[in-house]
Amino acid sequence: MASYTGLALLALSLPLSWAQQYPDCQNGPLSNNSVCDTGLSARERAQALVDALTLEEKLNLTHNNSPGVKRLGLPAYNWWGEALHGVAAAPGVQFSSSGNWSYATSFPQPISIASSFDDELFYAIGTVISTEARAFNNGKRSGLDYWTPNINPFRDPRWGRGQETPGEDTYLVKRYIDNMVTSLQGGRNPTSYKVIATCKHYTAYDLEGWQGNTRYGFDAIVSPQDLSEYYMQPFQQCARDTKVASIMCSYNAINGVPACANSYTIQSVLRGHWNWTADENYITSDCTSIQNMFTDHHAFDTRQQTVAAALNAGVDVDCGYYNPTFLPSAYSQGLFQESTLDKSLLRLYSGLAKAGYFDPPDSPWRSVTWDNVSTPEAEDLALKVAEEGIILLKNDGTLPLIPPEDRNLTLLLAGGWINATEQLQGNYAGPARTLVSPWMALQNVSNLNLVVVKWYENPMLRAIDTQADAILYIDATNEGADEGKDRNTIRWDAMQVDAVEMLATLGRPLIVAHMGEQVDDSALLNNPNVSSLLWAGYPGMLGGQALINIVTGKTAPAGRMPVTQYPADYVHQVPMTDMNLRPDPQTGNPGRTYKWFDNATVEFGFGLHYTNLSTAIGTPSNTSFDIQSLVSACNFTTYSHVDQCPFYPSGSTSSSLSVNVTNSGTTASDFVALAFIAGEYGPTPRPLKSLVAYQRLFDIKPGSSQTASLNLTLGSLSRYDEKGNQILYPGNYRVLIDVPTQNTWEFVLTGSEYVMDEWPQV
Ligand SMILES: *[C@@H]1O[C@H](CO)[C@@H](O)[C@H](O)[C@H]1NC(C)=O
Ligand SMILES: *[C@@H]1O[C@H](CO)[C@@H](O)[C@H](O)[C@H]1NC(C)=O
Ligand SMILES: *[C@@H]1O[C@H](CO)[C@@H](O)[C@H](O)[C@H]1NC(C)=O
Ligand SMILES: *[C@@H]1O[C@H](CO)[C@@H](O)[C@H](O)[C@H]1NC(C)=O
Ligand SMILES: *[C@@H]1O[C@H](CO)[C@@H](O)[C@H](O)[C@H]1NC(C)=O
Ligand SMILES: *[C@@H]1O[C@H](CO)[C@@H](O)[C@H](O)[C@H]1NC(C)=O
Ligand SMILES: *[C@@H]1O[C@H](CO)[C@@H](O)[C@H](O)[C@H]1NC(C)=O
Ligand SMILES: *[C@@H]1O[C@H](CO)[C@@H](O)[C@H](O)[C@H]1NC(C)=O
Ligand SMILES: *[C@@H]1O[C@H](CO)[C@@H](O)[C@H](O)[C@H]1NC(C)=O
Ligand SMILES: *[C@@H]1O[C@H](CO)[C@@H](O)[C@H](O)[C@H]1NC(C)=O
Ligand SMILES: *[C@@H]1O[C@H](CO)[C@@H](O)[C@H](O)[C@H]1NC(C)=O
Ligand SMILES: *[C@@H]1O[C@H](CO)[C@@H](O)[C@H](O)[C@H]1NC(C)=O
């Protein structure tokens, strides 16, 4: 979707009549329509509305900027809202330029949220965002549909939109989805939606613009194995398990068929195999993606065929103008049935009915107001998330840098992001009440003298001058990548390297805070004069405060890498257009993600602490399990799908794998317990390891221990064959705890292969 900063500014000057209004179900013309009858089901209510529409009116209601139907009292409605990490500007979300409704809580980017590996935090963020979204809706400034989250797994470090995602690992992405989407929608299987969440972009979308390939016309060639095991896993979580209300189809094609007219991905897999068939489950196009099927994919001869193909495939609303413009003539040409159009409208309005759009003003969530936006509690959460997401990559003991009580510590501050504010938010951010840069946060640290060196000054001259006690260099490099544009390099800019190398010669402790995108840090990691290195990504509105709290030891870091940090040369080893995850000697593809690439600069899951934390597995008594017995022990009343069934390593029905974490240092700290599975089973080549469980433990005091309960499932043990089938294989298994591995538990599975999920073939 296009970034809408520019459009949001334009929207400010539009008359208030643009505002999102509730239909008048009390006195207006719609009050006699059953759509306003709260005693009926959402579907019955939507059906009543659709029954009242003429064909021309129906054709008018198929794009995001719906004009409504005046005759019936159905107001205009914009389906396009954004709330990736806080309510954000979009054609369907209107901020005011000052005063009430001029900001919302702005959390860190999902890549930084994910680094916390904290499920409860994911849930809490979704709760705040959806509460604020309902406040904006009550303020007539937004609809109830939000096209978030972005859950394409972060496959290639060059991707311009990787910052919007919870990282490269499908298990982490799935945990993020389950918590975020569930809290946005108002709980598990809610009777009414708090807001309507949208998982995007379906599917195999993770290329913006790279060496002449654009997302609008890119054809992603993906093997059934990679599709099932990787690209589709987040959507399986959304559709089959978390039951997201809506899904967005992507710009690209998958194996020759554009995503928004792809009957395989939409009909066979999404609606068929995953049974994503609730009345309100609608699909939106990405913005202009229906048009792109004609202009970029050249998939159809006429515009009419193009819009009809999307509608017939099950795409219910066009973010763009192709549907309203060309559906009428497509209809006259007999390219689709009116009943197909009715089905789409039924889905769209069932969702709105279920979100209370046609309910009276005393219905749930109608009482939240501007007072509920960016509350002190919400902002405290934004700070906590930012702190939890910061990752310590290197430390010789310089951190934490605690100013002494009896004298002032002189800190030399250098780098392009020392006073960063909006940059801390990343893209798809709404305006925030306040933005705290690292420099601003340092103003409140006592016993500190700050010496600021501008990036263009020679830091050496200034530093010798001041005899700094320590140096803090804060910077990012991005090469202008964002939506629509990927990176060509994943290295620091030459001038930044030069500045750090000069600072490193000063003989002072040098702390580097790496902000923004992950790029190859090997020069910093290998330079003995770089004392400490943190990665803080895009830490949001209070990100500078979070960084300084970590630097000064007010908070201890415990974030973990949500992606692999690749060596800079990686970009020359595999083209972005090569979607294959597995290494391939034929093409030279070295493999993608920690599962397949074994020469990372910083490994997925890595992260240091200010204290010594060691782990021990409560070793289960059994070391051999029979596949058929595991499957027959599954309670299918409780678990709808065999991959969700628990694997009880101790052979009991209550225990999970326990990991005892002991703090033998002197600083209290959080710790993320991570469990991976590796082993010799299933098809080759085999993944190096796969994350199967994690738990963040909080505030482990010096000298004490806490125990993580890591719940493995039968799905944790599975692998995928070349057709994409998910299978339990006999063989030798290893559970690996932590990165780098601290403990290993080995076991075997016996018996014969069991197919857990037969993947639909094209
Ligand atoms: C609703 O319907 C009733 C009976 O058909 C009619 O008397 C009344 O005027 C209608 N009200 C509106 C607002 O259309
Ligand atoms: C369709 O919408 C346009 C404005 O977007 C309006 O002028 C026209 O009257 C509408 N047609 C019908 C049948 O509602
Ligand atoms: C499929 O989903 C529908 C609607 O959510 C539900 O009623 C039905 O039981 C599901 N069918 C299966 C086989 O899970
Ligand atoms: C701003 O919002 C508060 C809280 O809802 C409300 O009391 C106040 O009247 C609003 N101010 C304006 C100018 O609308
Ligand atoms: C909204 O704010 C009011 C007043 O502060 C509070 O009582 C209420 O619990 C808040 N609602 C939510 C959903 O946070
Ligand atoms: C530390 O610096 C502050 C502000 O610059 C100054 O007021 C204070 O006297 C200094 N403290 C010492 C111990 O030098
Ligand atoms: C940082 O930004 C603030 C306001 O944005 C400004 O007042 C301050 O002078 C800046 N500090 C430095 C060191 O540039
Ligand atoms: C610094 O402290 C003052 C006084 O407590 C407070 O008003 C200000 O917001 C703080 N600044 C930051 C960046 O937290
Ligand atoms: C691993 O990466 C380093 C750079 O980080 C490179 O020098 C080395 O050749 C790579 N090894 C292999 C086997 O690719
Ligand atoms: C399966 O789970 C259901 C409910 O979750 C429970 O009522 C039933 O007793 C369980 N069956 C077995 C065999 O444990
Ligand atoms: C965890 O390890 C510590 C240190 O080895 C030990 O004292 C403690 O009993 C263990 N706790 C559990 C629950 O195993
Ligand atoms: C594992 O399951 C137990 C029991 O259901 C639960 O209390 C615990 O929170 C789970 N652990 C994680 C990390 O989700």
Side-chain angles (χ1 to χ4, degrees):
M1 205 171 322
S3 279
Y4 256 77
T5 322
L7 203 141
L9 289 176
L10 184 73
L12 294 179
S13 59
L14 294 177
L16 209 65
S17 63
W18 176 89
Q20 305 259 36
Q21 301 276 358
Y22 273 94
D24 183 351
C25 267
Q26 272 67 55
N27 307 305
L30 211 55
S31 58
N32 263 9
N33 188 295
S34 297
V35 76
C36 289
D37 183 346
T38 54
L40 300 176
S41 71
R43 185 202 170 90
E44 289 165 331
R45 297 169 73 178
Q47 186 68 59
L49 176 67
V50 173
D51 288 347
L53 298 169
T54 67
L55 175 65
E56 288 69 26
E57 287 163 345
K58 290 175 189 173
L59 290 164
N60 243 3
L61 297 177
T62 55
H63 66 133
N64 68 292
N65 195 7
S66 162
V69 180
K70 228 185 213 116
R71 174 181 73 85
L72 288 175
L74 182 70
Y77 183 81
N78 203 315
W79 297 86
W80 180 359
E82 297 286 356
L84 181 67
H85 48 123
V87 175
V93 183
Q94 194 185 29
F95 282 84
S96 151
S97 55
S98 64
N100 289 6
W101 313 110
S102 63
Y103 54 82
T105 308
S106 186
F107 290 99
Q109 273 290 37
I111 195 73
S112 289
I113 298 174
S115 308
S116 70
F117 286 76
D118 183 349
D119 286 357
E120 285 173 19
L121 204 60
F122 303 160
Y123 198 95
I125 295 166
T127 299
V128 168
I129 293 175
S130 49
T131 296
E132 298 192 0
R134 286 304 298 226
F136 271 75
N137 175 251
N138 291 331
K140 300 187 170 60
R141 293 187 164 270
S142 82
L144 294 163
D145 291 76
Y146 282 86
W147 291 349
T148 191
N150 179 349
I151 47 95
N152 298 108
F154 193 171
R155 162 187 68 102
D156 189 296
R158 286 162 285 194
W159 187 25
R161 300 185 73 179
Q163 59 171 289
E164 297 173 32
T165 74
E168 75 183 25
D169 176 71
T170 50
Y171 179 75
L172 175 58
V173 170
K174 288 164 75 170
R175 300 305 313 143
Y176 182 90
I177 291 166
D178 197 40
N179 287 283
M180 182 63 72
V181 169
T182 301
S183 56
L184 286 172
Q185 294 188 161
R188 210 166 282 288
N189 301 318
T191 49
S192 75
Y193 286 124
K194 194 172 174 191
V195 301
I196 292 166
T198 303
C199 285
K200 68 190 185 188
H201 315 75
Y202 192 62
T203 184
Y205 167 76
D206 55 20
L207 178 146
E208 300 300 301
W210 182 80
Q211 299 195 356
N213 301 279
T214 76
R215 58 182 183 166
Y216 305 111
F218 178 57
D219 182 13
I221 305 300
V222 186
S223 72
Q225 193 175 28
D226 286 343
L227 195 64
S228 168
E229 179 181 36
Y230 191 70
Y231 296 100
M232 291 293 229
Q233 279 300 302
F235 294 98
Q236 177 181 301
Q237 179 69 47
C238 286
R240 191 195 77 172
D241 302 333
T242 302
K243 307 202 183 305
V244 73
S246 131
I247 281 182
M248 175 184 288
C249 54
S250 55
Y251 290 114
N252 57 289
I254 301 110
N255 298 326
V257 184
C260 293
N262 196 313
S263 63
Y264 169 68
T265 53
I266 295 176
Q267 306 294 348
S268 307
V269 181
L270 178 61
R271 292 201 177 277
H273 193 56
W274 294 332
N275 189 34
W276 191 67
T277 54
D279 299 329
E280 67 278 14
N281 287 161
Y282 82 84
I283 298 178
T284 177
S285 78
D286 203 337
C287 299
T288 72
S289 69
I290 292 181
Q291 180 177 6
N292 298 128
M293 299 202 299
F294 182 72
T295 54
D296 296 69
H297 290 290
H298 310 291
F300 304 98
D301 293 333
T302 67
R303 295 176 176 85
Q304 286 74 15
Q305 286 170 9
T306 307
V307 291
L311 188 72
N312 287 328
V315 178
D316 303 302
V317 64
D318 175 16
C319 183
Y321 68 90
Y322 252 43
N323 270 3
T325 314
F326 301 113
L327 271 182
S329 44
Y331 182 78
S332 347
Q333 291 169 22
L335 297 175
F336 67 91
Q337 312 258 309
E338 186 171 355
S339 60
T340 307
L341 183 57
D342 288 350
K343 222 186 288 177
S344 283
L345 295 171
L346 193 58
R347 290 176 186 141
L348 291 167
Y349 290 101
S350 292
L352 278 184
K354 193 166 169 178
Y357 186 64
F358 301 100
D359 287 357
D362 62 354
S363 64
W365 302 113
R366 291 289 287 273
S367 60
V368 286
T369 67
W370 170 245
D371 287 338
N372 296 88
V373 178
S374 217
T375 61
E377 295 75 24
E379 293 186 4
D380 285 351
L381 183 66
L383 176 62
K384 181 175 145 82
V385 175
E387 291 172 343
E388 285 198 19
I390 292 175
I391 308 170
L392 182 63
L393 298 177
K394 179 184 185 180
N395 193 18
D396 66 358
T398 295
L399 287 178
L401 187 72
I402 303 170
E405 281 177 12
D406 55 346
R407 68 178 181 93
N408 281 343
L409 183 126
T410 299
L411 182 66
L412 182 81
L413 207 54
W417 277 43
I418 59 178
N419 209 10
T421 51
E422 275 100 348
Q423 291 145 296
L424 301 174
Q425 296 180 282
N427 69 4
Y428 280 86
R433 182 188 63 81
T434 181
L435 293 163
V436 176
S437 73
W439 181 84
M440 293 172 195
L442 281 165
Q443 304 310 303
N444 279 3
V445 179
S446 46
N447 295 5
L448 196 67
N449 291 334
L450 271 191
V451 180
V452 174
V453 177
K454 294 273 191 302
W455 67 269
Y456 48 82
E457 289 170 348
N458 181 336
M460 180 121 82
L461 294 177
R462 284 293 298 275
I464 288 167
D465 208 47
T466 60
Q467 296 296 303
D469 292 298
I471 306 165
L472 175 57
Y473 179 86
I474 308 174
D475 219 339
T477 180
N478 186 342
E479 206 209 336
D482 198 338
E483 179 149 24
K485 186 175 184 297
D486 299 306
R487 271 172 286 285
N488 287 314
T489 74
I490 49 169
R491 54 171 90 245
W492 286 92
D493 295 341
M495 279 172 68
Q496 295 173 314
V497 175
D498 191 41
V500 173
E501 282 177 356
M502 281 199 287
L503 292 167
T505 61
L506 295 174
R508 305 280 163 189
L510 170 60
I511 302 154
V512 176
H514 177 172
M515 312 296 294
E517 302 296 332
Q518 290 277 352
V519 291
D520 182 359
D521 281 330
S522 50
L524 306 175
L525 293 165
N526 297 334
N527 186 331
N529 295 325
V530 173
S531 319
S532 307
L533 176 65
L534 293 158
W535 183 69
Y538 297 92
M541 63 183 291
L542 302 176
Q545 186 67 58
L547 178 67
I548 298 309
N549 287 353
I550 296 277
V551 166
T552 57
K554 201 174 163 194
T555 310
R560 298 297 186 111
M561 292 284 290
V563 286
T564 300
Q565 190 186 97
Y566 295 87
D569 186 54
Y570 187 80
V571 298
H572 304 302
Q573 297 175 18
V574 58
M576 251 198 110
T577 46
D578 181 344
M579 302 293 286
N580 293 296
L581 296 166
R582 286 161 173 77
D584 183 349
Q586 299 289 308
T587 61
N589 181 342
R592 296 177 170 288
T593 81
Y594 74 95
K595 290 184 184 176
W596 302 102
F597 178 72
D598 66 357
N599 194 28
T601 303
V602 185
E603 211 190 317
F604 173 88
F606 183 77
L608 299 170
H609 304 87
Y610 285 167
T611 188
N612 292 327
L613 292 150
S614 56
T615 57
I617 301 186
T619 311
S621 43
N622 291 356
T623 54
S624 176
F625 304 89
D626 173 63
I627 289 173
Q628 278 62 40
S629 311
L630 289 176
V631 172
S632 57
C634 183
N635 185 338
F636 289 101
T637 312
T638 314
Y639 303 100
S640 332
H641 304 280
V642 65
D643 56 282
Q644 300 167 331
C645 294
F647 168 56
Y648 297 117
S650 306
S652 91
T653 48
S654 60
S655 77
S656 40
L657 193 68
S658 71
V659 175
N660 187 8
V661 183
T662 302
N663 184 346
S664 60
T666 54
T667 307
S669 181
D670 291 3
F671 182 83
V672 177
L674 297 169
F676 296 85
I677 278 200
E680 290 70 48
Y681 55 95
T684 54
R686 290 170 174 146
L688 299 160
K689 59 181 182 178
S690 308
L691 182 68
V692 289
Y694 62 79
Q695 184 182 354
R696 187 169 177 126
L697 301 172
F698 299 96
D699 197 29
I700 309 173
K701 301 278 194 255
S704 75
S705 301
Q706 283 184 29
T707 302
S709 301
L710 300 179
N711 301 319
L712 306 187
T713 62
L714 297 188
S716 310
L717 309 181
S718 67
R719 282 184 179 159
Y720 294 77
D721 73 6
E722 287 184 3
K723 289 178 165 167
N725 299 321
Q726 187 185 17
I727 297 174
L728 280 176
Y729 292 99
N732 298 314
Y733 288 67
R734 286 186 297 282
V735 171
L736 312 175
I737 302 298
D738 206 10
V739 175
T741 302
Q742 292 202 46
N743 323 102
T744 303
W745 172 56
E746 299 189 16
F747 61 96
V748 294
L749 289 198
T750 61
S752 49
E753 287 181 23
Y754 177 80
V755 179
M756 308 176 89
D757 185 36
E758 201 169 323
W759 184 245
Q761 302 298 303
V762 177

